[in-house]
Amino acid sequence: MAFKILKDLGRFHIHLTSDITRSTRIKFLYAGTGLIATSIAAYTSSGLKVFAAESKLDAKQFLAEPITSINHLNDNLNDMKTKMEVLIMRIQSDFVKSLESMEKDGMKFKIDRWTRKEGGGGITCVLQDGQVFEKAGVNISVVTGVLPPNAVQQMRARGKQMDEGSLPFFAAGVSAVIHPRNPMVPTIHFNYRYFEVTNKDGSVQWWFGGGTDLTPYYLNEDDAKHFHKTLQQACDKHDPSYYNRFKKWCDDYFHIPHRGERRGVGGIFFDDLDTPSQQKAYKFVESCADAVIPSYIPLVKQHKDDGYGYAERQWQLLRRGRYVEFNLIYDRGTKFGLYTPGARYESILMSLPLTARWEYMHEPDPNSKEGQLVDVLRNPRDWLNVKA
């Protein structure tokens, strides 16, 4: 038997010669974007040479052992629950490694794998007191159990076709919040999740949700344009109406009513997405999650060494206070997490900064840089059509 394997742009190309005459099996491990163990079988059938490939997951590509056993995942690669768990673990691993590469002293994330007695668990990754990131958290959770009647009722009120009473559910998601040390580097938040509930007759109600948004302390229009353009490109791969629709949803959702301002300069946000099909909705979520690194890491590289002083630091702490207000008072995901049976509060509250500040009746000079930011927070812009 003679053949050769060529690696090109992260894929294996297998070239067969005509002298394959018997069944052969080759196993190898490829370390590229991630580690995938692949089993390849070559065989002959009625004189026709056939080459079959079957991909298998390798837990080494992740930061920790998956919540679901690797054997179960490999046996159910086409199931949406498996696809989502694999996606969020890959996104977590890629983003954590990108953030760690920014730290000058080699500081690493603490990786905390946890389980819950009600079913499932998660992997919480936190970095604190870094030179670049004062606090950074990147979490995944894969949770199973029974939704209490009040939670089911809330979902029914949103139009979900669900039976009344307690129902089995599955939820998988990845979330991250980055609080940089330098006030010139913006904070980013993202969250992408999949949810399904099983009715009493066995029918399943499923949907996706999530989004990515940017919270600067000082307005940099080029940063905002880059961030929104990257998200638009991810949306346009699937539906040209998605970006404008989900951009507005983001501006409306991340609103602090008692302050009359948005949390940041927006991004995209969506919930209850169950069209046009499960696979297409999943691919859209995958594109959005993959857009996080190119939308944010260039901004960190550009501004992490910018100069700042005491006044800029105090303003940053004030804006963090607004961030805390939104997360604890209005954020639906925080509320859902806190009221879920067996909730792990340390992971839910991971999004809060190490330090924040509140001043009584503080209002910046409208002509200052701080005032310019507040004006944008009160009057969201179309960042893709900002005039110079």
Side-chain angles (χ1 to χ4, degrees):
M1 185 189 82
F3 64 90
K4 59 180 179 177
I5 300 174
L6 301 178
K7 184 176 70 177
D8 179 26
L9 298 177
R11 287 186 169 182
F12 282 104
H13 296 266
I14 301 167
H15 300 261
L16 302 178
T17 61
S18 59
D19 59 342
I20 296 179
T21 58
R22 58 186 176 83
S23 298
T24 308
R25 183 171 297 273
I26 306 99
K27 295 182 179 180
F28 55 84
L29 196 64
Y30 164 49
T33 305
L35 296 174
I36 300 292
T38 305
S39 178
I40 299 178
Y43 56 91
T44 302
S45 176
S46 299
L48 178 65
K49 283 78 176 177
V50 182
F51 215 89
E54 181 180 297
S55 296
K56 293 293 185 180
L57 297 170
D58 187 333
K60 294 178 182 178
Q61 73 184 96
F62 307 127
L63 298 177
E65 190 75 18
I67 301 305
T68 305
S69 75
I70 197 71
N71 288 336
H72 180 85
L73 294 177
N74 275 321
D75 289 341
N76 297 273
L77 290 175
N78 292 322
D79 184 84
M80 185 53 66
K81 296 188 290 293
T82 295
K83 288 183 177 182
M84 196 64 191
E85 183 168 356
V86 172
L87 172 64
I88 63 178
M89 293 199 69
R90 176 178 67 79
I91 294 299
Q92 180 187 51
S93 178
D94 290 348
F95 195 50
V96 162
K97 291 173 183 177
S98 293
L99 296 174
E100 287 179 341
S101 71
M102 298 292 100
E103 289 290 347
K104 301 175 184 177
D105 57 0
M107 180 171 283
K108 301 295 184 182
F109 277 75
K110 176 182 178 180
I111 301 173
D112 184 12
R113 185 184 186 278
W114 52 273
T115 58
R116 59 193 288 273
K117 63 180 182 179
E118 294 81 1
I123 302 168
T124 298
C125 299
V126 177
L127 185 153
Q128 294 182 156
D129 284 321
Q131 292 184 354
V132 176
F133 305 110
E134 189 169 331
K135 186 179 181 184
V138 188
N139 292 352
I140 69 105
S141 61
V142 180
V143 177
T144 60
V146 177
L147 280 181
N150 61 339
V152 172
Q153 187 58 41
Q154 290 179 6
M155 294 179 179
R156 282 169 56 86
R158 296 186 354 234
K160 297 303 178 186
Q161 302 301 313
M162 296 162 54
D163 296 334
E164 293 184 354
S166 300
L167 297 175
F169 79 98
F170 170 89
V174 57
S175 63
V177 178
I178 311 304
H179 296 289
R181 186 171 297 279
N182 191 319
M184 304 305 162
V185 179
T187 279
I188 190 177
H189 157 264
F190 71 87
N191 181 315
Y192 291 101
R193 57 195 178 275
Y194 172 72
F195 206 97
E196 67 177 44
V197 177
T198 303
N199 286 310
K200 295 173 183 178
D201 64 358
S203 62
V204 174
Q205 180 81 24
W206 61 266
W207 63 91
F208 293 88
T212 310
D213 68 290
L214 195 70
T215 303
Y217 307 103
Y218 286 90
L219 182 63
N220 183 304
E221 292 190 354
D222 288 339
D223 289 354
K225 292 176 185 177
H226 167 80
F227 185 79
H228 278 266
K229 185 65 177 178
T230 306
L231 297 182
Q232 182 205 32
Q233 291 170 346
C235 290
D236 284 354
K237 294 177 183 178
H238 304 271
D239 189 320
S241 71
Y242 275 177
Y243 170 75
N244 287 331
R245 173 184 167 192
F246 297 148
K247 191 267 187 189
K248 183 181 185 305
W249 199 337
C250 184
D251 289 336
D252 292 342
Y253 179 77
F254 292 106
H255 179 230
I256 310 175
H258 65 275
R259 297 290 185 183
E261 60 190 39
R262 273 67 182 176
R263 188 173 74 176
V265 296
I268 58 172
F269 178 83
F270 56 91
D271 209 349
D272 300 338
L273 183 67
D274 56 8
T275 59
S277 69
Q278 189 180 58
Q279 179 61 19
K280 289 183 178 179
Y282 165 79
K283 296 302 289 184
F284 168 64
V285 168
E286 182 181 41
S287 293
C288 292
D290 283 333
V292 170
I293 290 176
S295 72
Y296 182 63
I297 294 300
L299 308 185
V300 178
K301 291 180 179 179
Q302 183 175 352
H303 299 297
K304 63 185 177 65
D305 297 318
D306 288 357
Y308 66 94
Y310 177 82
E312 289 79 13
R313 172 63 171 173
Q314 297 307 301
W315 173 247
Q316 180 191 47
L317 296 179
L318 279 171
R319 294 310 313 170
R320 284 182 179 174
R322 302 289 196 270
Y323 201 96
V324 171
E325 290 175 20
F326 177 84
N327 278 26
L328 294 184
I329 299 174
Y330 300 110
D331 186 64
R332 196 164 77 190
T334 301
K335 290 181 178 180
F336 178 83
L338 292 174
Y339 290 113
T340 299
R344 190 173 192 268
Y345 304 116
E346 286 293 337
S347 295
I348 296 169
L349 299 177
M350 170 278 302
S351 63
L352 302 182
L354 278 183
T355 53
R357 182 181 177 91
W358 285 264
E359 289 186 18
Y360 182 70
M361 299 294 286
H362 184 276
E363 187 71 27
D365 180 344
N367 296 318
S368 66
K369 291 182 178 179
E370 292 80 5
Q372 293 173 6
L373 175 68
V374 171
D375 179 66
V376 168
L377 301 182
R378 292 173 179 170
N379 303 283
R381 292 185 186 178
D382 176 1
W383 290 106
L384 299 185
N385 294 287
V386 172
K387 296 181 180 179

